[in-house]
Amino acid sequence: MRLARIAHPGGVAFASVEGEGDDAQVLEIAEHPFGNPNFTGKRWPLADVRLLAPILPTKVIAVGRNYAKHAAEFGNEVPSDPMLFIKPSTTVIGPNVAIKRPSGVGRVDFEGELAVVIGQPVKNVPAARAASAVLGYTVANDVSARDLQKSDGQWGRAKGFDTFCPLGPWIETSVDPGDLALKAEVDGELKQDGRTSDLVHKVPELVEFVSRVMTLLPGDIILTGTPEGVGPIEAGQQVSITIEGIGTLTNPVQDA
């Protein structure tokens, strides 16, 4: 199932996306998408609604240096344990919403990532049962102010600006995250071309590790890391990140 959050003629709702291309429809979900969703009976053509960020998490937990080649391209080693940092919920935006480059920050980079969406409250969940805690997967862009990341030493400011976590276009509940193609393009030029099979710490391990540290709540996001090929983005450009079996997330870039 593809679970979306939409703006429709009557307001905002969760919805299931069915069909492809011009025939795609969205079916409104009553209340929330967790568990067994109940449908209201309302539906619209996908073209007649606006896709929003598919979920509004209480927190976004990101994992740094989780692809060996990405760590190497910045001269870093892969940590033995997952390296965690937090992005505020206010970084989250949806498809086609502008990434805002803050003034005076220097280089701002895109980072295409697979995002895990948590489906139920969990604490200390073992990797063997991690799949039961996951609602599904979506596409993310861990936007980063690279100069600040280097100068600050810790990453809270560099990763925490408003609009620095695009998510979308929807949550795919049935995909296997073990080996998916991940590609990022800037203005149509391929920049990243990786596979989730190259993750150093795999999804079940990450869910277990993070849940040892903090309680994960429904809708929380774990960003799993980015392959090599990240690079700067400028105002006027457009970033598109595609993950096999999920979809494509596209955002323009503007100066704040």
Side-chain angles (χ1 to χ4, degrees), residues 191-237:
K191 298 292 187 178
Q192 289 182 286
D193 188 3
R195 301 197 69 88
T196 59
S197 54
D198 291 328
L199 284 166
V200 177
H201 305 288
K202 311 299 184 184
V203 168
E205 180 185 352
L206 294 176
V207 175
E208 177 181 43
F209 187 85
V210 175
S211 73
R212 287 182 193 162
V213 179
M214 66 194 78
T215 299
L216 292 170
L217 300 176
D220 282 351
I221 296 287
I222 299 175
L223 303 185
T224 58
T226 193
E228 76 275 15
V230 303
I233 47 178
E234 302 290 344
Q237 292 186 311

Coordinates of all heavy atoms in Angstrom, one line a residue, residues 191-237:
K191 N 23.7 12.3 -10.0 CA 24.8 12.6 -9.0 C 25.1 11.4 -8.1 O 26.2 11.1 -7.7 CB 24.4 13.8 -8.1 CG 24.2 15.1 -8.9 CD 25.5 15.6 -9.5 CE 25.3 16.9 -10.1 NZ 26.6 17.5 -10.6
Q192 N 24.0 10.7 -7.6 CA 24.2 9.5 -6.7 C 23.5 8.3 -7.4 O 22.5 8.4 -8.0 CB 23.5 9.8 -5.4 CG 24.2 10.8 -4.5 CD 23.5 10.9 -3.1 OE1 22.4 11.5 -3.0 NE2 24.1 10.4 -2.1
D193 N 24.2 7.2 -7.3 CA 23.7 6.0 -7.9 C 24.2 4.8 -7.0 O 25.2 4.2 -7.2 CB 24.3 5.8 -9.3 CG 23.6 4.7 -10.1 OD1 22.7 4.0 -9.5 OD2 24.0 4.4 -11.2
G194 N 23.4 4.5 -6.0 CA 23.8 3.5 -5.0 C 22.7 2.5 -4.8 O 21.6 2.5 -5.4
R195 N 22.9 1.6 -3.9 CA 21.9 0.6 -3.5 C 21.9 0.4 -2.0 O 22.9 0.5 -1.3 CB 22.3 -0.8 -4.1 CG 22.3 -0.8 -5.6 CD 22.2 -2.2 -6.2 NE 20.9 -2.8 -6.0 CZ 19.9 -2.6 -6.9 NH1 20.1 -1.9 -8.0 NH2 18.7 -3.2 -6.7
T196 N 20.7 0.2 -1.5 CA 20.6 0.0 0.0 C 21.3 -1.2 0.5 O 21.5 -1.3 1.7 CB 19.1 0.0 0.4 OG1 18.4 -1.1 -0.2 CG2 18.4 1.3 0.0
S197 N 21.6 -2.1 -0.3 CA 22.4 -3.3 0.1 C 23.8 -2.9 0.6 O 24.4 -3.7 1.3 CB 22.5 -4.3 -1.0 OG 23.0 -3.7 -2.2
D198 N 24.2 -1.7 0.2 CA 25.5 -1.2 0.7 C 25.5 -0.5 2.0 O 26.5 -0.1 2.5 CB 26.1 -0.3 -0.4 CG 26.5 -1.0 -1.7 OD1 26.9 -2.1 -1.6 OD2 26.4 -0.3 -2.7
L199 N 24.3 -0.5 2.7 CA 24.3 0.1 4.0 C 25.2 -0.7 4.9 O 25.1 -2.0 5.0 CB 22.8 0.0 4.6 CG 21.8 1.0 4.0 CD1 20.4 0.6 4.4 CD2 22.1 2.4 4.6
V200 N 26.0 0.0 5.7 CA 26.9 -0.7 6.7 C 26.0 -1.3 7.8 O 26.1 -2.5 8.1 CB 27.9 0.2 7.3 CG1 28.7 -0.5 8.3 CG2 28.8 0.8 6.2
H201 N 25.2 -0.5 8.4 CA 24.2 -1.0 9.4 C 22.9 -1.1 8.8 O 22.3 -0.1 8.3 CB 24.2 0.0 10.6 CG 25.6 0.2 11.2 ND1 26.2 -0.8 12.0 CD2 26.4 1.3 11.2 CE1 27.4 -0.3 12.4 NE2 27.5 0.9 11.9
K202 N 22.3 -2.3 8.7 CA 21.1 -2.5 8.0 C 19.8 -2.0 8.8 O 19.9 -1.7 9.9 CB 20.9 -4.0 7.6 CG 22.1 -4.6 7.0 CD 22.5 -4.0 5.7 CE 23.7 -4.8 5.1 NZ 24.2 -4.2 3.8
V203 N 18.7 -2.0 8.1 CA 17.5 -1.4 8.7 C 17.1 -2.1 10.0 O 16.9 -1.4 11.0 CB 16.3 -1.4 7.7 CG1 15.0 -1.1 8.4 CG2 16.6 -0.4 6.6
P204 N 17.0 -3.4 10.1 CA 16.7 -4.0 11.4 C 17.6 -3.6 12.5 O 17.2 -3.4 13.7 CB 16.7 -5.5 11.1 CG 16.5 -5.6 9.6 CD 17.2 -4.4 9.1
E205 N 18.9 -3.6 12.2 CA 19.9 -3.2 13.2 C 19.7 -1.8 13.6 O 19.9 -1.5 14.8 CB 21.3 -3.4 12.6 CG 22.5 -3.1 13.5 CD 23.8 -3.1 12.8 OE1 23.9 -3.6 11.7 OE2 24.8 -2.7 13.4
L206 N 19.4 -0.9 12.7 CA 19.2 0.5 13.1 C 18.0 0.7 14.0 O 18.0 1.4 14.9 CB 19.0 1.3 11.8 CG 20.3 1.5 10.9 CD1 19.9 2.2 9.6 CD2 21.4 2.1 11.6
V207 N 16.9 0.0 13.6 CA 15.7 0.1 14.5 C 16.0 -0.4 15.9 O 15.6 0.2 16.9 CB 14.5 -0.7 13.9 CG1 13.3 -0.7 14.8 CG2 14.1 -0.1 12.5
E208 N 16.7 -1.5 16.0 CA 17.1 -2.0 17.3 C 18.0 -1.0 18.1 O 17.7 -0.7 19.2 CB 17.8 -3.3 17.2 CG 18.3 -3.9 18.5 CD 19.1 -5.2 18.4 OE1 19.9 -5.3 17.4 OE2 18.9 -6.1 19.2
F209 N 19.0 -0.5 17.4 CA 20.0 0.4 18.0 C 19.3 1.7 18.5 O 19.5 2.1 19.6 CB 21.1 0.7 17.0 CG 22.2 1.5 17.6 CD1 23.3 0.8 18.3 CD2 22.3 2.9 17.5 CE1 24.3 1.6 18.8 CE2 23.3 3.6 18.1 CZ 24.3 2.9 18.7
V210 N 18.5 2.3 17.6 CA 17.9 3.6 18.0 C 16.9 3.3 19.1 O 16.8 4.1 20.1 CB 17.2 4.2 16.8 CG1 16.4 5.4 17.2 CG2 18.2 4.5 15.7
S211 N 16.1 2.2 19.1 CA 15.1 2.0 20.1 C 15.7 1.7 21.5 O 15.0 1.7 22.5 CB 14.1 0.9 19.7 OG 14.7 -0.4 19.7
R212 N 17.0 1.3 21.5 CA 17.7 1.2 22.8 C 17.9 2.5 23.5 O 18.0 2.6 24.7 CB 19.0 0.5 22.6 CG 19.0 -1.0 22.3 CD 20.4 -1.5 22.2 NE 20.6 -2.8 21.6 CZ 21.7 -3.3 21.1 NH1 22.8 -2.5 21.1 NH2 21.7 -4.5 20.6
V213 N 18.0 3.5 22.6 CA 18.4 4.9 23.1 C 17.1 5.6 23.5 O 17.0 6.3 24.5 CB 19.1 5.7 22.0 CG1 19.5 7.1 22.5 CG2 20.4 4.9 21.6
M214 N 16.1 5.5 22.6 CA 14.9 6.4 22.8 C 13.6 5.6 22.4 O 13.7 4.7 21.5 CB 15.0 7.7 22.0 CG 15.1 7.5 20.5 SD 15.6 9.0 19.6 CE 17.4 8.9 19.9
T215 N 12.5 5.9 23.0 CA 11.3 5.3 22.5 C 10.9 5.9 21.2 O 10.9 7.1 21.0 CB 10.2 5.6 23.5 OG1 10.5 5.1 24.8 CG2 8.8 5.1 23.1
L216 N 10.6 5.0 20.3 CA 10.1 5.4 18.9 C 8.6 5.4 18.9 O 8.0 4.5 19.3 CB 10.7 4.5 17.9 CG 12.2 4.5 17.7 CD1 12.7 3.4 16.8 CD2 12.6 5.9 17.1
L217 N 8.1 6.5 18.4 CA 6.6 6.7 18.3 C 6.1 6.6 16.9 O 6.8 6.7 15.9 CB 6.3 8.1 18.9 CG 6.7 8.3 20.3 CD1 6.3 9.7 20.7 CD2 6.0 7.3 21.3
P218 N 4.8 6.2 16.7 CA 4.3 6.1 15.4 C 4.5 7.4 14.6 O 4.2 8.5 15.0 CB 2.8 5.9 15.6 CG 2.7 5.3 17.0 CD 3.8 5.9 17.8
G219 N 5.0 7.2 13.4 CA 5.4 8.3 12.5 C 6.8 8.8 12.6 O 7.2 9.6 11.7
D220 N 7.5 8.4 13.6 CA 8.9 8.8 13.7 C 9.7 8.3 12.5 O 9.4 7.2 11.9 CB 9.6 8.3 15.0 CG 9.2 9.2 16.2 OD1 8.5 10.2 16.0 OD2 9.5 8.8 17.3
I221 N 10.8 9.0 12.1 CA 11.6 8.7 11.0 C 13.0 8.3 11.4 O 13.6 9.0 12.2 CB 11.6 9.9 10.0 CG1 10.2 10.2 9.5 CG2 12.6 9.7 8.9 CD1 9.6 9.3 8.5
I222 N 13.5 7.3 10.7 CA 14.9 7.0 10.8 C 15.5 7.1 9.4 O 15.1 6.4 8.5 CB 15.2 5.6 11.3 CG1 14.7 5.4 12.7 CG2 16.7 5.3 11.3 CD1 14.8 4.0 13.3
L223 N 16.4 8.1 9.3 CA 17.2 8.3 8.0 C 18.4 7.3 8.0 O 19.2 7.4 9.0 CB 17.6 9.7 7.8 CG 16.5 10.8 7.8 CD1 17.1 12.1 7.5 CD2 15.4 10.5 6.9
T224 N 18.5 6.5 7.0 CA 19.5 5.4 7.1 C 20.9 5.7 6.6 O 21.8 4.9 6.7 CB 18.9 4.2 6.3 OG1 18.7 4.6 4.9 CG2 17.6 3.7 6.9
G225 N 21.1 6.9 6.0 CA 22.4 7.3 5.5 C 22.3 7.5 4.0 O 21.4 7.1 3.3
T226 N 23.4 8.0 3.5 CA 23.4 8.4 2.0 C 24.6 7.8 1.3 O 25.7 7.7 1.9 CB 23.4 9.9 1.9 OG1 23.1 10.3 0.5 CG2 24.8 10.5 2.2
P227 N 24.4 7.3 0.1 CA 25.6 6.8 -0.7 C 26.5 8.0 -1.1 O 26.2 9.2 -0.9 CB 24.9 6.2 -2.0 CG 23.5 6.1 -1.7 CD 23.2 7.2 -0.7
E228 N 27.6 7.6 -1.7 CA 28.5 8.6 -2.3 C 27.9 9.4 -3.4 O 27.0 9.0 -4.0 CB 29.8 7.9 -2.7 CG 29.8 7.2 -4.1 CD 29.3 5.8 -4.0 OE1 28.7 5.4 -2.9 OE2 29.4 5.1 -5.0
G229 N 28.5 10.6 -3.6 CA 28.0 11.4 -4.7 C 27.3 12.6 -4.3 O 26.8 13.4 -5.2
V230 N 27.2 12.9 -3.0 CA 26.5 14.1 -2.6 C 27.3 15.3 -3.1 O 28.4 15.3 -3.4 CB 26.4 14.2 -1.0 CG1 25.7 12.9 -0.5 CG2 27.8 14.3 -0.4
G231 N 26.5 16.5 -3.1 CA 27.1 17.7 -3.6 C 26.3 18.9 -3.4 O 25.2 18.8 -2.9
P232 N 26.8 20.1 -3.8 CA 26.1 21.3 -3.5 C 24.9 21.6 -4.4 O 24.8 21.1 -5.5 CB 27.2 22.4 -3.7 CG 28.1 21.7 -4.7 CD 28.1 20.3 -4.4
I233 N 24.0 22.3 -3.8 CA 22.8 22.8 -4.6 C 22.7 24.3 -4.4 O 23.0 24.9 -3.4 CB 21.5 22.1 -4.1 CG1 21.4 22.1 -2.6 CG2 21.4 20.7 -4.6 CD1 20.1 21.5 -2.0
E234 N 22.2 24.9 -5.5 CA 22.1 26.4 -5.6 C 20.6 26.8 -5.9 O 19.9 26.0 -6.4 CB 23.0 26.9 -6.7 CG 24.5 26.6 -6.5 CD 25.1 27.2 -5.3 OE1 24.6 28.2 -4.8 OE2 26.2 26.8 -4.9
A235 N 20.3 28.0 -5.5 CA 19.0 28.5 -5.8 C 18.7 28.4 -7.3 O 19.6 28.7 -8.2 CB 18.9 30.0 -5.4
G236 N 17.5 28.0 -7.7 CA 17.1 27.8 -9.1 C 17.3 26.4 -9.6 O 16.7 26.1 -10.6
Q237 N 18.0 25.5 -8.8 CA 18.1 24.1 -9.2 C 17.0 23.3 -8.6 O 16.2 23.8 -7.8 CB 19.4 23.6 -8.7 CG 20.7 24.2 -9.4 CD 22.0 23.6 -9.0 OE1 22.2 23.4 -7.8 NE2 22.8 23.3 -10.0

